[in-house]
Amino acid sequence: MRIAVANRLTPYLFMAPAVVIMAIALMYPLGYMIWGSFRDWSPSQTIGEAEFVGLKNYVTLWGDPNFWESLSVTLTFAFFVVTLEMLIGVGLALLLDRNIRGMSVLRTLFILPMMIAPVVVGLMWRYMYHPTVGTFNRMLDSLGLPTVDWLGNHALMSVIIADIWQWTPFIFILALAALQSLPRSALEAARIDGATAWQQIWHIKLPLMMPVLIVTGLLRLIDAFKVLEVILVMTEGGPGLSTEILALRISRTATEFRELGVAAAMSNYLLILLLALTLAMFAFTRLQEARAARIRAAVEEES
Amino acid sequence: MSQAHEKQNPAFYAIIALLVFMSVGPVLLMFVNSFKLDVDIISGTTGLIFLPTIQNYETALCDILWYEPEHLDFCALKFGGAFINSLIIALISTLLTLVIGCMAAYALVRFRFMGRDTVSLTTLMVRMVPPAVLLVPVFGLWNNEFCLDRDGLIGGFIRDTFGGRGDVCLAGTHSGIILVYVAMNLPFVIWILQSFIVQVPRSLEEAARVDGAGPFQVFFKVVLPLIKPGLAAAAIFTFRIAWNEYLLASALSDRNTRTVPILIVNNMSEFNVEWGVIMATGMLLAIPPIIFTLFASRQIITGMTAGAVKG
């Protein structure tokens, strides 16, 4: 009897530490933030002392052109980063999916950029983009070309390039893994039927890789909204607001402008956006599983 | 791979060489520059013709060196202390995350119990929460709510015994930062480990149970050894986040608990950037992840693909 009770309790005992920690340091703070977003709250007050102002923070943000500017920078950044990384990453995977010596060494070197701290990545690129001592401008100069004001007029583009450098390998590795797990028989059949390399890629490889590619793209998209340190170190959101993505604006609103309520409301907007994306991803994987199960059932019925 | 390697077009190798250069180039550049004096960096003696010096590293690590570097008369950059802080925080939070996450993942995979679906869905959802969103509430909570009141029981005891203000807050302590990191990384670790635990054959566990092992024994003696690759992957990813994170650490730390990324950002925002020293600190911060990458790239790749392909 005692053993039966102990067995029934086992899963709860295993879960308990994780649930407690996530409740204290993740769920409770999130609830606290939602509560705080309805208050006029400065860092020197406790939340109880802060005045309740209803939806004022949300309305203020809705009418704040700087918030919209920041949101549009975030969306532009996320869009270009994900699109370009997908194109380059998948392209490289298709190109390098060959049986060559030293592929594992190559993959090791490729994942190096994404293991390095974002702060350090920002630091490296800030040096390379430097108007006078930077690598790029020095190179352009020695070639006799006009120099480019990387972090000035073209700040957003430069930030996007740095992110592409850091995260394209992620897409590349996942796309390569997907490619190498494709059924060999389908490719073999296509080759025997005389399909050209392009036809194989376009009609067989890409459609078969699609599920993995979509999940990868969504993961990358969610991560693109988390980018902060690279941009903070490279441009500090400037010049003007041209690279101030939402995450950066939240942190500045909280620490520089000292308006925790507004920052909390802004965090909530960002959270809603991400929630929608996550739900899309979740729905997609569920759909995929259902479809796979249906196909499997159909195959079993036939045989 | 018993297959013979195919002969490839020379142009193909040229492309690969170019790609390797592009991905490793910036890191190498930083490495080389960290051994240059600022004069050399700014005057632009391109190429490798310069006198390498470890002066930058001496400046960075001056507070834990056993000798006093000649070129310094005052140790301004307390990098050594920050490095130790970073190590403590990253290692402890990685260890805690792994143990706790592993147990949770096992329960989610192997047992049917009330609330299982809720937990698993919540885990998936909180994965997307960016650190920036946690900034405001964590700052508020760690500074106000999660404190021992100075008039309360324990706070009063501390005040009477040790003196001081008597209120102890999570903010400004190592444990405060570790707590956030563990919570932040748990969902991801649980998610990755689930896909590894599913592959452990049930019959093995049942055999152990028939031999009289309790659930905890089964877990620690049978399951854990079998999912070592998954653990390695999860450990590297957790360490990477805890080691590299800037935003939350900057909100929660005080002068004595500052981590390396904070120090780098603080020095970058000064008007006159000392490139050599900054590159040396950046290099020191980058070295542990680079070592992991070189020695455990297989585990990293497995972890990455397990996360997305089976998601």
Side-chain angles (χ1 to χ4, degrees):
Chain A
M1 186 58 211
R2 228 167 51 87
I3 292 171
V5 172
N7 278 344
R8 190 111 45 83
L9 278 179
T10 313
Y12 296 104
L13 286 179
F14 273 96
M15 285 303 301
V19 169
V20 168
I21 287 200
M22 274 161 66
I24 292 180
L26 217 53
M27 303 320 280
Y28 182 54
L30 285 180
Y32 190 80
M33 179 190 73
I34 294 169
W35 193 39
S37 69
F38 299 114
R39 285 162 182 271
D40 186 10
W41 181 20
S42 86
S44 52
Q45 296 167 302
T46 62
I47 199 164
E49 293 161 10
E51 189 192 348
F52 184 82
V53 290
L55 284 172
K56 181 166 161 275
N57 290 330
Y58 291 90
V59 176
T60 316
L61 279 178
W62 200 258
D64 181 3
N66 289 347
F67 170 70
W68 287 107
E69 174 75 30
S70 172
L71 187 66
S72 95
V73 169
T74 314
L75 292 176
T76 318
F77 176 78
F79 172 78
F80 278 108
V81 156
V82 174
T83 319
L84 291 174
E85 282 171 14
M86 286 301 277
L87 284 178
I88 303 174
V90 175
L92 284 180
L94 288 169
L95 185 72
L96 296 185
D97 177 30
R98 307 183 189 191
N99 194 11
I100 52 168
R101 198 189 299 267
M103 195 59 202
S104 58
V105 178
L106 221 55
R107 279 195 299 193
T108 309
L109 292 179
F110 284 157
I111 56 175
L112 210 56
M114 47 190 227
M115 299 304 286
I116 292 178
V119 170
V120 179
V121 172
L123 154 76
M124 283 178 333
W125 283 85
R126 179 156 161 195
Y127 169 72
M128 292 197 291
Y129 282 140
H130 194 281
T132 50
V133 302
T135 319
F136 292 134
N137 272 354
R138 216 171 252 169
M139 215 146 65
L140 288 175
D141 213 28
S142 62
L143 291 175
L145 295 168
T147 55
V148 179
D149 187 11
W150 295 99
L151 293 178
N153 298 329
H154 308 284
L156 190 57
M157 182 190 79
S158 308
V159 170
I160 289 174
I161 293 177
D163 193 83
I164 291 177
W165 174 79
Q166 196 185 8
W167 286 105
T168 302
F170 175 74
I171 313 253
F172 167 74
I173 299 278
L174 290 184
L176 196 64
L179 258 179
Q180 290 177 339
S181 64
L182 292 186
R184 290 287 140 195
S185 55
L187 293 176
E188 206 77 6
R191 202 160 9 200
I192 290 168
D193 287 348
T196 61
W198 275 114
Q199 283 171 327
Q200 283 184 31
I201 289 174
W202 202 245
H203 294 291
I204 298 172
K205 289 181 181 169
L206 280 182
L208 284 175
M209 283 160 74
M210 221 14 117
V212 177
L213 290 188
I214 290 178
V215 173
T216 312
L218 280 168
L219 275 180
R220 192 60 212 114
L221 189 61
I222 291 172
D223 278 351
F225 287 99
K226 297 187 185 176
V227 174
L228 173 111
E229 285 106 331
V230 178
I231 300 182
L232 176 73
V233 172
M234 275 172 67
T235 66
E236 287 164 47
L241 292 178
S242 58
T243 54
E244 187 166 271
I245 57 161
L246 223 44
L248 199 56
R249 186 157 185 84
I250 292 172
S251 106
R252 282 188 58 196
T253 314
T255 53
E256 275 175 41
F257 312 146
R258 305 174 72 75
E259 290 176 22
L260 292 186
V262 179
M266 209 180 320
S267 308
N268 274 338
Y269 277 133
L270 181 60
L271 213 52
I272 291 169
L273 193 71
L274 285 171
L275 199 67
L277 283 175
T278 316
L279 280 179
M281 184 169 112
F282 196 58
F284 178 78
T285 45
R286 274 291 143 92
L287 209 70
Q288 209 66 40
E289 273 166 25
R291 208 217 249 144
R294 218 170 36 239
I295 291 173
R296 218 175 301 128
V299 169
E300 271 165 20
E301 232 165 69
E302 269 173 35
S303 60
Chain B
M1 285 246 189
S2 56
Q3 267 170 292
H5 295 288
E6 297 160 32
K7 273 258 188 254
Q8 299 291 347
N9 203 330
F12 180 73
Y13 287 109
I15 293 177
I16 289 188
L18 185 70
L19 286 175
V20 170
F21 176 73
M22 287 202 314
S23 71
V24 184
V27 187
L28 273 184
L29 185 72
M30 182 171 72
F31 182 71
V32 169
N33 273 338
S34 70
F35 288 102
K36 283 185 187 175
L37 292 175
D38 275 2
V39 193
D40 285 332
I41 297 178
I42 290 172
S43 69
T45 43
T46 38
L48 298 163
I49 316 142
F50 66 96
L51 203 62
T53 165
I54 58 162
Q55 199 176 313
N56 295 323
Y57 288 92
E58 283 178 334
T59 314
L61 293 171
C62 57
D63 58 332
I64 52 167
L65 282 183
W66 58 94
Y67 61 90
E68 262 178 46
E70 285 162 22
H71 64 279
L72 277 181
D73 31 285
F74 176 65
C75 184
L77 205 62
K78 301 267 190 285
F79 185 85
F83 198 79
I84 293 167
N85 282 333
S86 270
L87 266 184
I88 294 175
I89 290 172
L91 287 179
I92 295 183
S93 62
T94 306
L95 193 74
L96 282 177
T97 317
L98 274 194
V99 174
I100 297 171
C102 213
M103 287 165 59
Y106 180 68
L108 284 177
V109 171
R110 276 295 185 259
F111 298 98
R112 301 268 165 269
F113 57 93
M114 243 178 62
R116 175 176 173 274
D117 291 334
T118 328
V119 174
S120 126
L121 190 68
T122 325
T123 318
L124 199 68
M125 291 303 241
V126 290
R127 235 178 72 89
M128 52 99 194
V129 174
V133 166
L134 287 176
L135 176 71
V136 174
V138 161
F139 178 79
L141 283 173
W142 268 230
N143 273 307
N144 296 316
E145 309 262 310
F146 290 178
C147 286
L148 296 172
D149 200 358
R150 110 185 49 179
D151 304 318
L153 194 65
I154 309 174
F157 172 74
I158 292 176
R159 184 193 56 216
D160 294 340
T161 349
F162 302 105
R165 287 169 56 212
D167 50 345
V168 181
C169 283
L170 268 181
T173 62
H174 287 138
S175 4
I177 304 178
I178 291 172
L179 178 64
V180 195
Y181 286 170
V182 172
M184 223 168 60
N185 281 317
L186 266 180
F188 179 70
V189 167
I190 293 176
W191 199 43
I192 271 201
L193 287 180
Q194 270 181 324
S195 67
F196 282 91
I197 294 178
V198 168
Q199 295 169 7
V200 175
R202 231 165 218 275
S203 51
L204 266 181
E205 289 174 50
E206 270 151 25
R209 210 162 293 149
V210 169
D211 288 344
F216 281 89
Q217 269 176 310
V218 171
F219 175 68
F220 282 106
K221 297 225 166 114
V222 179
V223 178
L224 271 195
L226 284 174
I227 55 166
K228 263 188 204 149
L231 285 178
I236 291 172
F237 280 99
T238 322
F239 181 86
R240 174 182 147 251
I241 292 182
W243 180 258
N244 293 346
E245 210 276 338
Y246 159 76
L247 187 66
L248 291 172
S250 79
L252 292 181
S253 65
D254 61 9
R255 275 182 50 224
N256 298 321
T257 47
R258 250 188 284 183
T259 57
V260 181
I262 303 174
L263 217 74
I264 294 182
V265 171
N266 285 353
N267 280 304
M268 283 302 278
S269 43
E270 276 164 24
F271 183 69
N272 238 336
V273 179
E274 289 176 34
W275 284 111
V277 178
I278 279 284
M279 298 255 179
T281 53
M283 208 56 220
L284 286 170
L285 183 67
I287 282 172
I290 290 180
I291 292 176
F292 278 132
T293 318
L294 295 184
F295 286 99
S297 63
R298 188 180 299 270
Q299 277 77 14
I300 297 175
I301 291 167
T302 335
M304 255 163 49
T305 43
V309 179
K310 287 173 198 146

